[in-house]
């Protein structure tokens, strides 16, 4: 079975050689064909020109290229003696005397013979057809018969001869027909004879046979020396080494001398087939790989000398096959040093071959390719090593092997841009190998090894882009290469996840890896890498935080987190100040690259992400005393507000406020103790003071930036909730109204400070006043719902709304308008659409003058007054007029108050009941009240020229009339009905009079509706 496999492999290789040689011959034939076509074209042009000269009057004469195409006649008449045609001087010979005449002459100037006799009259002129004229220039065809008989059979014969000798030698060995020494001598003599015979035949011109004999002789000598040393031990390793060098030199000289790729290829095939053909099943790696090394060196030398780069690629494939076969058959964990040495040796060999070809300027893609894929495929062996438990626990050996392979590929990437994709693939494969080792073998004992190699790989991949940028400034690595140091941080997380308690030694390495990645990003101006490194570092800190056991580790945690925060913050500031590499000099730009002026956001991120760590620590460590955690929060606030002050990053202040409130809420929800409220109260008020005072401290720098002022204003309501919770849980709610009053006073002080010290021409002055005025009114209004309840909440909101609209007259800000109108609408909804309002208090004995009167009355008055305020300053909100809306809501609320008071007057018991039948006095009171209300609406509509009010009054009149006649008076006697009709007539007459008096056609139409 092995023999069959070898024969099949040999036939395949020979077919490849045959196809390659055939393609070469075909290319040469195509070149000759193109040359012949060019000659034919030139001949055709000459023939056509000759026809035109001899037959100037022929209307069907052919034309040259570029003119109108006319069919060429079937024959061309060429007179005898026309060989002397001189086209440059435009003269032709005379057919009789041979003297030269102009092509335009009708008769010979010497003898008078006509020169342009019609073609049919020139009987003595030989007729030559165009096909006959160019027949001798027909394109030659490839003679496949000669090719197969001479070249192909010679090649196959040489290879078969070599196989036959090999099989005979193997058979003789197996059956002891020939003694070992005789075998070796015969093989050696046979190989020499093949070479000598080939060289002798070379003088007689049999080049193909010469190449076959010489190649076979070289292959036999390789096999003979290998067998004499490895299997029979007739010669020492040193002697065999020298003999193989001699054979290699011989093959090199023969290939160069004969200029034959075939000799080199056949010698290479025989060389690589020798070990498996003569294998005894005993592992002798030194002899085997020394032999393969010499063979590779010889092939590389021939390839460089003759520019046959494909020999190097074929040698690399053969080498990898031999290496793979040795690993599969003989390798075990005890031979790890041999295996690593072999793979490193051949990786270095092909890299050296590439460098030599580059130095002597004989570069070839077939030489460059093995330099990259041999080290890359050698990484598979590094992965294979991890399948052995005893090797997985020796990371110094396995990971060093991986690092050296990665270093070689990185060196290639520095040498040429063509190797950058290979470097990317090698980096990905290296990460996978490190990931497998980390997941399978990493323990606390091996942790220092793992961390050291993580750092080494991070440094290697961080330095490569920098080195490339220094060597070739216009070169840029694939953007994913910058992520490799960040991937090392992912590997660091594995021990954090797997081990319950992680050694403190991990954090210096985390810092160093992060520093390497960030420094590389700073130099290369790849800002997004720094952001990723920061996020991964914070994730690692978060995992570690979740693994901490109790509060006893809080000091260590605070020191470590503070160190990383300050480090990344400082890095971000340094990056912002450093002049980055010009991105326009790079060929390939990444969509993820941000502008250099935005790189300072790294500092912002380094102070924002720790809020997540603080939240994790609070929930996991059960921190009942918040002072250490809140102290760290103060540091973060200072850093972020410093960026607002010096880097114009206004949004950072908003994020800092929200994150601070989030941390306070988490702690307050989990651990606040009402028995000890002092610490929490002090910290909550401290945070309020920091954010509130910040824009006032830097008032000159914040004079044109509205967001810091908004943070200063809105932090009050956010902190108020927490402080309110502390006070109510610890002190009760008896005097809780004092708390919003204190906040209102503080907001008013801020408002007065702005009024006094902010110039009138400041563009944001109105916004500042609106913010603090609104917050002040919010706290003032909040006094009512906190100190009181129920209807006072609605009254407070209505009063706040009217106050904001009043303030709008002095501070014309759109926000005040929206806020004020919104509060008034909310107050209306709470009174008009809330059924619970009638359950606020039991029904009082005092009628009419009850809480309904002041509650509904105040809100109704606020709606009408608010409509008046907003009308004078522009009442549009989102293209909708608010004055009619507020007037309508006020009218509806007043009508509801009328009906509530009537119902309260006639109700019995503790609650109000609404009934519209069964009691004539109550029914007539409703009708009378509705009539009066409608009449008042009509008078107001006429007085204010408000068509909506008049239409509303007419509608209410109509409803009242229907109610009176169809409901109230239906049960009365005829006399009452007469009286009611008369009353209705008087009312209708009064309405008609008012319309005629004030709204007659002679009066001008309403100019506007209010």
């Amino acid at each position: 079975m092995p023999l069959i496999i070898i024969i099949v492999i040999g036939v395949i290789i020979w077919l490849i050689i045959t196809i390659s040689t055939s393609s070469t011959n075909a290319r040469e034939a195509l070149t000759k064909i193109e040359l012949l076509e060019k000659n034919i074209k030139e001949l055709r042009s000459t023939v056509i020109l000759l026809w035109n000269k001899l037959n100037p009057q022929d209307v069907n004469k052919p034309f040259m290229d570029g003119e109108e195409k006319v069919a060429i006649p079937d024959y061309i008449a060429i007179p005898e003696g026309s060989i002397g045609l001189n086209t440059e001087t435009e003269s032709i010979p005379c057919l009789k005397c041979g003297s030269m005449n102009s092509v335009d002459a009708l008769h010979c100037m010497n003898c008078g013979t006509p020169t342009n006799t019609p073609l049919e009259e020139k009987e003595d002129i030989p007729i030559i057809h165009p096909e006959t004229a160019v027949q001798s220039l027909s394109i030659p065809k490839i003679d496949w018969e000669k090719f197969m008989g001479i070249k192909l059979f010679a090649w196959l014969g040489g290879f078969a001869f070599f196989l036959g000798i090999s099989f005979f030698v193997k058979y003789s060995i197996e059956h002891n027909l020939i003694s070992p020494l005789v075998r070796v001598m015969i093989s050696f003599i046979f190989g020499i004879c093949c070479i000598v015979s080939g060289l002798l035949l070379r003088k007689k011109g049999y080049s193909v046979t010469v190449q076959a004999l010489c190649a076979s002789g070289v292959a036999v000598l390789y096999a003979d020396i290998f067998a004499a040393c490895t299997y029979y031990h007739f010669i020492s390793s040193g002697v065999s080494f020298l003999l193989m060098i001699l054979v290699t030199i011989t093959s090199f000289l023969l290939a160069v001398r004969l200029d034959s790729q075939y000799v080199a290829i056949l010698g290479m095939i025989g060389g690589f087939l020798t070990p498996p053909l003569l294998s005894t099943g005993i592992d002798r790696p030194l002899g085997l790989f020394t032999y393969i090394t010499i063979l590779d060196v010889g092939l590389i030398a021939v390839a460089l000398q003759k520019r046959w780069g494909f020999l190097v690629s074929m040698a690399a494939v053969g080498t990898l096959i031999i290496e793979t076969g040795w690993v599969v058959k003989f390798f075990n964990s005890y031979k790890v040093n041999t295996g690593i040495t072999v793979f490193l040796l051949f990786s270095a060999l092909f890299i050296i071959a590439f460098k030599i070809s580059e130095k002597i300027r004989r570069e070839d893609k077939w030489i460059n390719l093995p330099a990259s894929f041999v080290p890359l495929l050698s990484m598979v062996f590094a992965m294979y090593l991890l399948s052995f438990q005893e090797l997985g626990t020796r990371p110094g050996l396995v990971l060093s092997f991986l690092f050296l392979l990665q270093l070689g590929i990185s060196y290639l990437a520095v040498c040429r841009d063509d190797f950058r994709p290979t470097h990317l693939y090698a980096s990905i494969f290296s990460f996978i190998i490190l990931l497998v080792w980390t997941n399978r073998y990493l323990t606390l004992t091996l942790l220092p090894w793992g961390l050291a190699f993580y750092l080494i790989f991070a440094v290697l991949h961080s330095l490569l882009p920098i080195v490339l940028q220094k060597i070739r400034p216009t070169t840029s690595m694939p953007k994913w290469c910058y992520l490799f140091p960040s991937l090392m941080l992912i590997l660091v997380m594995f021990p954090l996840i797997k081990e319950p308690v992680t050694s403190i030694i991990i954090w210096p390495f985390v810092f160093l890896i992060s520093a390497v990645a960030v420094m590389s990003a700073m130099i290369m101006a790849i800002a997004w890498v720094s952001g990723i490194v920061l996020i991964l570092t914070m994730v690692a800190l978060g995992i570690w935080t979740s693994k901490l056991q109790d509060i006893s580790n809080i000091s260590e945690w605070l020191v470590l987190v503070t160190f990383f925060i300050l480090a990344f913050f400082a890095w971000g500031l340094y990056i912002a100040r450093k002049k980055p590499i010009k991105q326009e000099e790079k060929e390939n730009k990444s969509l993820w690259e941000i502008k250099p002026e935005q790189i300072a956001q790294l500092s912002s991120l380094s102070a924002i992400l720790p809020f997540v760590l603080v939240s994790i620590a609070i929930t996991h460590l059960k921190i009942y005393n918040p002072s250490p955690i809140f102290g760290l929060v103060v540091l973060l606030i200072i850093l972020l507000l410093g960026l607002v002050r010096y880097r114009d990053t206004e949004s950072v202040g908003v994020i800092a406020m929200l994150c601070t409130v989030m941390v306070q809420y988490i702690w307050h929800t989990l651990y606040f103790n009402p028995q000890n409220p002092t610490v929490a109260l002090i910290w909550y008020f401290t945070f309020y003071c920091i954010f509130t005072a910040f824009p006032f401290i830097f008032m000159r720098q914040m004079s044109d930036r509205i967001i810091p002022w908004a943070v200063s204003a809105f932090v009050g309501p956010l902190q108020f909730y927490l402080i309110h919770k502390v006070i109510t849980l610890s002190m009760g709610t008896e005097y809780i109204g004092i708390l919003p009053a204190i906040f209102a006073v503080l907001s008013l002080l801020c408002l007065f400070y702005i009024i006094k010290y902010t110039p009138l021409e400041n563009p944001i002055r109105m916004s500042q006043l609106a913010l603090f005025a609104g917050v002040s009114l919010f706290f003032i209004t909040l006094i009512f719902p906190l100190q009181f309840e129920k209807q006072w909440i609605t009254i407070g909101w209505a009063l706040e709304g009217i106050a904001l609209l009043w303030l709008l007259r002095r501070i014309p800000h759109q926000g005040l308008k929206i806020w004020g109108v919104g509060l008034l609408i909310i107050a209306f909804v709470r009174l008009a659409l809330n059924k619970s309002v009638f359950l606020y208090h039991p029904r009082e004995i005092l009628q009419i003058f009850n809480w309904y009167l002041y509650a509904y009355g105040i809100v109704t008055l606020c709606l009408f007054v608010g409509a008046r305020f907003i009308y004078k300053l522009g009442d549009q909100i989102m293209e909708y007029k608010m004055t009619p809306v507020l007037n309508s809501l006020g009218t509806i609320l007043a009508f509801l108050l009328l009906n509530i008071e009537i119902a309260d007057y006639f109700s019995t018991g503790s609650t109000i009941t609404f009934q519209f039948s069964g009691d004539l006095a109550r029914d007539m009171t409703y009708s009378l009240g509705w009539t009066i209300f409608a009449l008042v609406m009509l008078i107001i509509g006429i007085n204010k020229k408000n068509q909506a009010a008049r239409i509303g009054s007419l509608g209410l009149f109509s409803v009242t009339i229907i109610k009176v006649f169809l409901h109230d008076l239906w049960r009365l006697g005829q006399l009452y009905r007469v009286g009611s009709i008369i009353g209705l007539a008087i009312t209708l007459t009064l309405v008609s009079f008012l319309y005629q008096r004030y709204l007659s056609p002679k009066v001008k139409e309403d100019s506007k509706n209010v």
Side-chain angles (χ1 to χ4, degrees):
M1 186 65 182
L3 294 178
I4 297 175
I5 295 175
I6 292 171
I7 293 173
V8 172
I9 293 174
V11 171
I12 292 174
I13 293 175
W14 275 99
L15 288 176
I16 293 173
I17 296 171
T18 302
I19 295 172
S20 176
T21 307
S22 301
S23 62
T24 302
N25 295 334
R27 284 195 298 270
E28 294 177 356
L30 288 175
T31 303
K32 295 179 179 178
I33 291 172
E34 291 177 357
L35 180 60
L36 291 175
E37 288 179 346
K38 182 178 179 181
N39 294 336
I40 291 172
K41 185 176 181 181
E42 294 177 355
L43 179 60
R44 179 178 179 272
S45 301
T46 303
V47 172
I48 293 174
L49 180 61
L50 180 59
W51 175 268
N52 294 335
K53 300 293 185 180
L54 298 177
N55 302 276
Q57 298 176 353
D58 188 358
V59 296
N60 294 322
K61 63 181 179 179
F63 292 84
M64 297 295 293
D65 293 342
E67 302 180 9
E68 184 182 357
K69 305 299 180 181
V70 181
I72 300 176
D74 295 336
Y75 60 89
I76 300 175
I78 302 178
E80 295 180 358
S82 62
I83 299 176
L85 177 67
N86 188 350
T87 58
E88 294 181 359
T89 59
E90 296 185 350
S91 60
I92 58 175
C94 177
L95 298 178
K96 183 175 181 180
C97 65
S99 60
M100 302 299 296
N101 296 277
S102 174
V103 295
D104 299 329
L106 300 178
H107 297 83
C108 177
M109 299 178 62
N110 184 32
C111 63
T113 303
T115 58
N116 284 321
T117 305
L119 189 62
E120 58 274 11
E121 298 179 2
K122 299 177 181 180
E123 300 177 355
D124 57 338
I125 299 177
I127 305 300
I128 303 176
H129 291 271
E131 294 181 359
T132 306
V134 299
Q135 186 174 6
S136 61
L137 299 177
S138 60
I139 300 173
K141 298 181 179 179
I142 298 175
D143 193 340
W144 290 102
E145 180 182 0
K146 292 182 180 180
F147 170 75
M148 295 179 64
I150 297 175
K151 296 185 178 182
L152 180 60
F153 287 175
W155 295 340
L156 293 177
F159 183 69
F161 192 61
F162 166 72
L163 288 180
I165 295 299
S166 300
F167 292 148
F168 174 74
V169 172
K170 185 175 181 64
Y171 178 81
S172 299
I173 293 173
E174 292 175 351
H175 295 81
N176 295 319
L177 299 179
I178 305 175
S179 63
L181 182 59
V182 175
R183 300 170 196 165
V184 172
M185 295 302 296
I186 292 175
S187 297
F188 184 79
I189 294 172
F190 176 77
I192 295 296
C193 290
C194 287
I195 296 176
V196 173
S197 300
L199 293 177
L200 292 175
L201 289 175
R202 178 173 176 269
K203 298 179 180 180
K204 298 182 178 182
Y206 301 103
S207 60
V208 177
T209 305
V210 169
Q211 294 174 11
L213 288 174
C214 292
S216 300
V218 169
V220 169
L221 290 177
Y222 271 122
D224 189 64
I225 297 172
F226 177 76
C229 175
T230 304
Y231 297 103
Y232 303 123
H233 306 288
F234 294 146
I235 56 177
S236 64
S237 299
V239 175
S240 65
F241 179 77
L242 294 176
L243 291 175
M244 287 185 178
I245 290 177
L246 181 60
V247 174
T248 303
I249 295 174
T250 302
S251 65
F252 168 74
L253 293 175
L254 288 173
V256 173
R257 184 70 174 174
L258 302 176
D259 195 20
S260 173
Q261 298 179 8
Y262 169 68
V263 173
I265 293 174
L266 191 58
M268 181 198 68
I269 295 173
F272 280 108
L273 286 179
T274 297
L277 286 175
L278 302 179
S279 175
T280 60
I282 300 174
D283 183 24
R284 293 185 177 89
L286 180 60
L288 172 64
F289 290 111
T290 301
Y291 166 77
I292 297 298
T293 301
I294 295 174
L295 183 60
D296 284 341
V297 170
L299 289 169
I300 292 172
V302 173
L304 294 177
Q305 178 67 23
K306 301 299 293 181
R307 300 183 184 272
W308 297 337
F310 66 91
L311 288 178
V312 180
S313 295
M314 296 178 69
V317 173
T319 301
L320 289 173
I321 293 174
I322 295 295
E323 288 177 325
T324 304
W326 178 80
V327 170
V328 172
K329 189 172 183 179
F330 298 110
F331 182 79
N332 55 50
S333 60
Y334 300 104
K335 301 178 182 179
V336 61
N337 293 325
T338 302
I340 289 176
T341 302
V342 167
F343 279 92
L344 287 178
L345 171 66
F346 288 110
S347 298
L349 177 63
F350 288 102
I351 292 176
I352 293 172
F354 155 71
K355 286 302 296 179
I356 293 174
S357 68
E358 186 179 45
K359 186 176 182 180
I360 64 177
R361 301 182 182 276
R362 295 188 178 180
E363 299 181 40
D364 191 322
K365 66 176 181 178
W366 296 110
I367 299 178
N368 300 346
L369 189 61
S372 60
F373 76 73
V374 171
L376 184 62
L377 294 179
S378 297
M379 289 184 176
V380 178
F381 179 66
M383 176 71 81
Y384 176 69
L385 295 178
L386 296 182
S387 62
F388 297 88
Q389 179 70 29
E390 56 272 26
L391 297 181
T393 56
R394 298 173 61 187
L397 183 63
V398 177
L399 298 184
S400 296
F401 170 56
L402 177 64
F403 172 75
L404 291 175
L405 294 174
Q406 180 70 62
L407 184 62
I409 296 177
S410 299
Y411 173 72
L412 293 174
V414 172
C415 293
R416 291 177 62 93
D417 294 341
D418 300 342
F419 294 108
R420 287 181 296 163
T422 305
H423 176 267
L424 176 60
Y425 304 145
S427 301
I428 295 173
F429 200 24
S430 297
F431 172 73
I432 294 173
I433 295 173
L434 289 171
L435 180 63
V436 171
W437 178 84
T438 302
N439 183 54
R440 185 177 298 179
Y441 298 108
L442 183 61
T443 60
L444 289 178
T445 305
L446 299 177
L447 182 61
W449 281 103
L451 294 175
F453 277 102
Y454 299 157
L455 178 60
I456 290 172
F457 276 92
V459 171
L460 176 63
H461 285 80
S462 297
L463 289 178
L464 180 62
I466 300 174
V467 173
L468 278 177
Q469 186 64 35
K470 296 298 182 182
I471 296 175
R472 293 188 295 276
T474 59
T475 300
S476 61
M477 291 290 292
K479 300 308 178 226
W480 292 104
C481 290
Y482 299 105
L483 285 177
F484 196 89
S486 305
L487 297 178
M488 295 300 100
L489 290 175
I490 295 178
L491 296 179
V492 172
M493 297 180 192
F494 277 76
L496 292 173
I497 296 173
K498 294 169 61 175
E499 302 296 335
V501 179
T502 304
S503 174
I504 194 65
I505 193 177
I506 195 173
W507 296 111
F509 283 93
V510 171
F511 173 75
L512 291 175
I513 293 173
S514 302
V516 167
V518 173
M519 291 298 179
S520 176
M522 288 166 49
I523 296 174
M524 301 304 297
I526 309 295
W528 55 268
V529 174
S530 302
I532 293 175
V533 172
L534 172 60
I535 293 173
L536 292 176
T537 303
M538 292 302 166
V539 171
L541 287 170
I543 295 173
W544 178 58
T545 303
S546 64
K547 295 289 183 178
L548 296 178
Q549 301 297 322
D550 50 43
I551 193 64
S552 61
N553 304 109
I554 188 64
S555 299
E556 179 182 335
W557 182 87
L558 285 172
V559 171
L560 191 61
V561 172
T562 303
F563 173 78
F564 276 100
I565 291 171
L566 295 178
F568 276 103
F569 191 84
W571 283 338
L573 294 181
Y574 182 77
I575 292 174
R577 296 179 59 183
K578 182 177 175 60
K579 183 179 179 180
I581 295 174
K582 293 182 179 180
Q583 296 294 338
E584 59 269 15
E585 294 180 355
K586 297 185 177 181
E587 296 178 357
N588 301 319
K589 294 184 179 180
S590 171
L591 295 178
W592 291 357
E593 291 174 359
I594 59 177
K595 297 180 180 179
E597 60 269 18
Q598 296 175 329
I599 301 178
Q601 297 300 327
L602 176 64
S603 297
S604 305
L605 198 61
S606 65
I608 293 172
L609 290 180
F611 281 102
V612 180
L613 295 179
V614 171
S615 303
I616 296 174
I618 291 174
T619 56
H620 184 70
L621 298 180
K622 297 181 180 180
I623 303 174
Y624 294 99
N625 181 9
S627 296
I629 292 294
F630 285 170
L632 178 61
V633 172
V634 170
L635 172 63
L636 298 176
I637 294 173
I638 293 173
L639 295 178
L640 292 173
L641 293 182
L643 291 177
V644 176
R645 162 63 178 82
Y646 294 101
R647 291 293 174 185
D648 297 336
T649 53
E650 300 180 11
S651 59
V652 172
V654 179
I655 299 175
M657 177 186 67
L658 296 177
C659 291
T660 303
V661 172
M662 176 193 69
V663 171
Q664 294 177 88
Y665 275 57
I666 293 174
W667 180 88
H668 185 91
T669 304
L670 295 176
Y671 306 117
F672 174 70
N673 183 8
Q675 304 300 324
N676 186 21
T678 306
V679 176
L681 192 61
I682 291 174
W683 277 111
Y684 295 165
F685 192 72
T686 299
F687 291 133
Y688 165 74
C689 293
I690 292 174
F691 284 104
T692 302
F694 171 71
F696 291 94
I697 295 174
F698 301 100
M699 194 168 187
R700 184 172 60 85
Q701 292 80 10
M702 304 294 144
S703 60
D704 57 346
R705 299 156 65 181
I706 188 58
I707 293 181
W709 294 100
V711 171
S712 177
F714 287 118
V715 73
L718 294 176
Q719 291 296 123
F720 174 82
Y721 175 79
L722 287 170
I723 297 175
H724 172 264
K725 295 288 290 185
V726 171
I727 293 177
T728 53
L729 291 176
S730 58
M731 304 177 188
T733 60
E734 184 175 1
Y735 301 104
I736 193 63
I738 297 175
L739 181 62
I742 294 174
F743 275 87
V745 171
L746 294 175
S747 299
L748 288 172
L749 290 176
C750 295
L751 179 64
F752 294 147
Y753 191 90
I754 292 172
I755 294 173
K756 183 176 181 180
Y757 292 101
T758 302
L760 295 176
E761 62 275 9
N762 192 307
I764 66 169
R765 184 174 187 273
M766 299 304 296
S767 298
Q768 292 173 312
L769 296 176
L771 287 170
F772 284 95
V775 172
S776 301
L777 291 172
F778 168 77
F779 285 120
I780 292 172
T781 309
L782 203 59
I783 297 173
F784 294 96
L786 290 181
Q787 190 64 47
F788 306 99
E789 58 182 3
K790 299 174 182 178
Q791 74 273 13
W792 292 108
I793 299 176
T794 306
I795 293 173
W797 286 348
L799 292 174
E800 182 181 3
I802 192 63
L804 290 175
L805 294 180
W806 170 81
L807 187 63
L808 186 65
R809 303 175 63 183
R810 290 159 177 80
I811 307 176
H813 192 276
Q814 186 73 7
L816 291 176
K817 183 192 300 183
I818 296 174
W819 195 353
V821 172
L823 287 174
L824 290 174
I825 293 175
I826 292 173
F828 166 81
V829 171
R830 284 182 57 85
L831 292 180
L833 304 178
N834 182 18
K835 295 187 297 183
S836 301
V837 71
F838 301 110
L839 303 178
Y840 281 172
H841 304 285
R843 198 170 151 271
E844 301 175 357
I845 299 177
L846 182 63
Q847 299 173 339
I848 305 300
F849 299 97
N850 48 27
W851 73 270
Y852 295 109
L853 181 62
Y854 71 78
Y856 281 81
I858 291 175
V859 175
T860 301
L861 182 62
C862 287
L863 287 168
F864 286 130
V865 174
R868 185 175 181 81
F869 285 163
I870 199 174
Y871 170 71
K872 295 183 178 180
L873 298 174
D875 61 347
Q876 285 192 345
I877 296 179
M878 298 179 63
E879 300 182 357
Y880 293 98
K881 292 185 176 181
M882 291 292 107
T883 300
V885 173
L886 295 181
N887 282 329
S888 300
L889 297 180
T891 302
I892 294 172
L893 208 58
F895 184 70
L896 289 176
L897 176 60
L898 172 64
N899 288 272
I900 291 172
E901 294 293 355
I902 295 173
D904 180 67
Y905 184 85
F906 288 99
S907 296
T908 58
S910 59
T911 58
I912 294 179
T913 57
F914 292 90
Q915 296 181 358
F916 298 96
S917 63
D919 188 334
L920 179 62
R922 181 180 58 210
D923 295 344
M924 292 299 296
T925 302
Y926 276 119
S927 300
L928 181 60
W930 292 2
T931 302
I932 295 173
F933 193 88
L935 187 59
V936 172
M937 285 181 60
L938 179 61
I939 294 173
I940 293 174
I942 294 174
N943 184 44
K944 297 296 183 181
K945 299 181 179 180
N946 191 317
Q947 185 180 19
R950 299 195 300 268
I951 295 175
S953 68
L954 294 178
L956 186 58
F957 269 126
S958 302
V959 173
T960 305
I961 292 170
I962 294 173
K963 178 180 178 298
V964 170
F965 283 95
L966 299 182
H967 181 269
D968 299 343
L969 302 180
W970 187 258
R971 295 162 297 165
L972 300 179
Q974 188 173 1
L975 185 59
Y976 289 101
R977 292 178 183 174
V978 172
S980 64
I981 293 174
I982 294 174
L984 177 61
I986 294 173
T987 303
L988 294 176
T989 302
L990 179 59
V991 171
S992 176
F993 170 75
L994 292 174
Y995 261 86
Q996 293 180 47
R997 175 65 176 81
Y998 297 101
L999 298 172
S1000 63
K1002 297 180 181 181
V1003 181
K1004 294 182 180 180
E1005 295 181 357
D1006 296 345
S1007 60
K1008 58 182 174 179
N1009 296 327
V1010 181

